[in-house]
Amino acid sequence: MIAYNGKRSQYSQEIIDRINSVDWGLLIMDEVHIFPADKFRKTSSLLKSHCKLGLTATLVREDCKIKDLHYLVGPKHFEADWVELQRDGFLARVQCVEILTEMHPKYYEEYLKANSRKRLALYSVNPNKLLICKSLIKHHQNEKIIIFCDNIFTLDFYSKQLSIPKIYGEVPQREREEFIDKFKNTNECNCIIMSKVGDTSLDIPNASVLIQISSHGASRRQEAQRLGRILRPKPECHSEFNAYFYTIVSKNTKEMYFTNKRHEFLINQGFSFKVVNELSELNIEDEYPLRKYENSSFILENYFEIKGLDENNSEFENDADSDNDLDGYSSS
C-alpha cells in the first residue's frame, strides 16, 4: 500500500522507490472515494503522472471531503445510471425493503437508560430482529444469503443462534477464504454473517439475498456498497425481482434516523425502499411470531448478558477492521 507510512521491509521499500521514481503517463485509482482521506491523499504528491483517472460506484462521503477530489484528481466526467443498468441486464433487479419491528420491552427499558454504545448493542440484538431474520432465511432457503452486522456482540450472537460461519476482523484470512469458498461453490453453506470487512472487494456473484442487522451509523456509502454485494447479474427469471435487500430496524430508536440517512444515496440513484411492519406485507410467512418469545430462554439469557456487561466493554464496538472508517464518520 503506497499510503502506508510505517517501516517497510527492504524489498517493499525498493518497490515503492521504483514506483515513485517513474513519471507515469496514466494513474488509475479504483475506489477513488477513499482518496481524500488523510491516509491516502499524500499519494497525490508522491506519485508523478500526466493524467489521473478515478473510478468508483459510490461517489459519497460523510465528512464533506468528496469535493476535494476535484483538485486531487479532477472533475467528474461520467456517471452511469444504476436503474438503466438494471433495466439493460447489467445489474440484478433488487427489491429494497425496510422492515420495522418493536423492541422487546425488557430491551427497550434498558435502552432508555443506556449510553450511546450500549444503546447500539441493544437495538442491534433486539430479539424481534432475530425472529424476522429466521423467517427470511427460511423463505429464501434455496438462495445464497449474506447477513451483515457491524456490532461484534450481535454478530457473535447471530452466528451461534443460526449456526452459520462468521467473518469479522479477528477471523484469520485463511479461515475467511475457506468460508467464502464453501459459500460460493457448495450447498453446504447457503448463509453467512459478516461485519463491515465484507463491504468491499468481495466477489460472490451468486449471492442474491442480503439481510442487514446493524450498520455503521448513517453511512450512505456503506449502504450502497452492501447493496453492491448482490447487484451482480442473476439468471433470468419471470418475477419482477431476482435479488432482495432487507434492512431490519428497531422502532423508536436512533437506528430509524440512521436508516433514513443511509437510504439517501440509493434513492438519488433511483432506488425505492418498501417500508413494512409485518412480513405478511411481503407475502412471507411469519414462521416465528413475535408474541411467542416472551419467556424464551435465549432471549432472557442474552438480555442479562448485555445488562451485566461493562458499558466500556469492547464487544459493544463496531468491527474496526475495514477501510470503511476512512471517511472519518463515527456513529456515536
Side-chain angles (χ1 to χ4, degrees):
M1 182 183 293
I2 296 175
Y4 177 66
N5 57 8
K7 187 175 181 180
R8 304 178 189 273
S9 67
Q10 182 178 349
Y11 179 68
S12 296
Q13 189 59 53
E14 288 175 0
I15 294 175
I16 294 299
D17 291 341
R18 287 181 62 187
I19 292 174
N20 291 341
S21 66
V22 175
D23 191 3
W24 299 97
L26 175 63
L27 175 63
I28 301 177
M29 294 170 284
D30 195 16
E31 304 290 356
V32 75
H33 55 263
I34 69 172
F35 196 61
D38 294 339
K39 185 177 180 180
F40 290 102
R41 65 194 301 153
K42 65 180 64 177
T43 60
S44 179
S45 58
L46 290 176
L47 297 178
K48 300 184 291 293
S49 65
H50 294 275
C51 181
K52 297 176 182 176
L53 175 64
L55 307 173
T56 181
T58 52
L59 193 63
V60 60
R61 293 176 62 88
E62 307 304 328
D63 58 5
C64 300
K65 290 183 178 180
I66 201 70
K67 296 178 181 178
D68 294 355
L69 285 174
H70 192 84
Y71 66 84
L72 290 172
V73 181
K76 181 173 68 175
H77 283 285
F78 175 77
E79 181 174 6
D81 187 297
W82 290 30
V83 176
E84 285 186 8
L85 292 174
Q86 280 188 311
R87 186 185 62 229
D88 295 339
F90 295 106
L91 298 177
R93 301 188 303 276
V94 182
Q95 181 182 35
C96 300
V97 182
E98 179 182 327
I99 304 173
L100 299 177
T101 184
E102 300 285 351
M103 284 188 72
H104 184 288
K106 284 184 174 291
Y107 284 68
Y108 195 62
E109 180 182 350
E110 191 70 20
Y111 172 86
L112 295 175
K113 299 183 293 183
N115 68 5
S116 59
R117 290 204 301 166
K118 196 170 183 179
R119 283 187 171 190
L120 185 152
L122 287 162
Y123 68 60
S124 296
V125 81
N126 175 13
N128 287 349
K129 286 191 174 189
L130 176 63
L131 300 178
I132 290 173
C133 186
K134 283 185 172 183
S135 293
L136 292 173
I137 290 172
K138 186 164 186 178
H139 180 74
H140 294 284
Q141 58 186 327
N142 296 321
E143 301 176 69
K144 293 290 185 178
I145 304 168
I146 300 175
I147 302 174
F148 270 108
C149 180
D150 283 3
N151 184 261
I152 301 173
F153 183 94
T154 309
L155 181 144
D156 186 59
F157 173 64
Y158 270 69
S159 177
K160 292 175 181 176
Q161 290 295 324
L162 300 173
S163 299
I164 57 176
K166 59 185 177 182
I167 296 177
Y168 68 109
E170 294 183 6
V171 177
Q173 183 64 30
R174 190 170 186 177
E175 282 188 39
R176 299 186 194 188
E177 292 174 357
E178 290 176 357
F179 291 150
I180 294 296
D181 182 68
K182 186 178 291 187
F183 180 80
K184 289 172 61 175
N185 302 313
T186 75
N187 290 323
E188 297 177 25
C189 176
N190 287 331
C191 185
I192 193 168
I193 186 167
M194 57 182 67
S195 70
K196 64 176 68 175
V197 298
D199 287 352
T200 59
S201 305
L202 185 66
D203 181 29
I204 308 181
N206 54 345
S208 58
V209 179
L210 191 149
I211 304 172
Q212 189 168 229
I213 303 300
S214 76
S215 54
H216 184 53
S219 175
R220 297 165 294 168
R221 175 162 59 87
Q222 186 188 59
E223 190 84 349
Q225 287 175 324
R226 287 187 170 174
L227 177 66
R229 300 310 97 206
I230 56 172
L231 273 181
R232 292 284 290 273
K234 304 294 185 291
E236 192 55 47
C237 64
H238 299 295
S239 60
E240 183 180 0
F241 304 105
N242 55 13
Y244 301 88
F245 180 39
Y246 300 102
T247 301
I248 308 176
V249 182
S250 295
K251 285 184 179 178
N252 302 315
T253 67
K254 195 170 184 179
E255 187 176 31
M256 293 185 70
Y257 165 77
F258 286 150
T259 301
N260 288 335
K261 294 288 289 182
R262 289 172 65 86
H263 291 343
E264 287 180 0
F265 177 78
L266 292 177
I267 289 174
N268 290 338
Q269 297 298 320
F271 289 87
S272 61
F273 284 80
K274 183 173 184 177
V275 181
V276 301
N277 291 280
E278 302 288 343
L279 290 179
S280 58
E281 298 177 53
L282 301 170
N283 296 319
I284 297 177
E285 186 175 351
D286 191 351
E287 300 285 346
Y288 306 90
L290 308 187
R291 298 174 298 280
K292 294 184 179 179
Y293 66 64
E294 193 64 35
N295 295 312
S296 178
S297 59
F298 83 81
I299 285 177
L300 295 179
E301 287 172 6
N302 196 55
Y303 162 72
F304 288 118
E305 187 176 356
I306 292 177
K307 189 174 182 179
L309 280 175
D310 180 357
E311 292 188 351
N312 293 319
N313 193 297
S314 62
E315 288 186 275
F316 285 134
E317 295 283 3
N318 279 355
D319 189 9
D321 182 18
S322 170
D323 286 338
N324 289 344
D325 282 324
L326 293 173
D327 56 12
Y329 178 78
S330 173
S331 62
S332 58

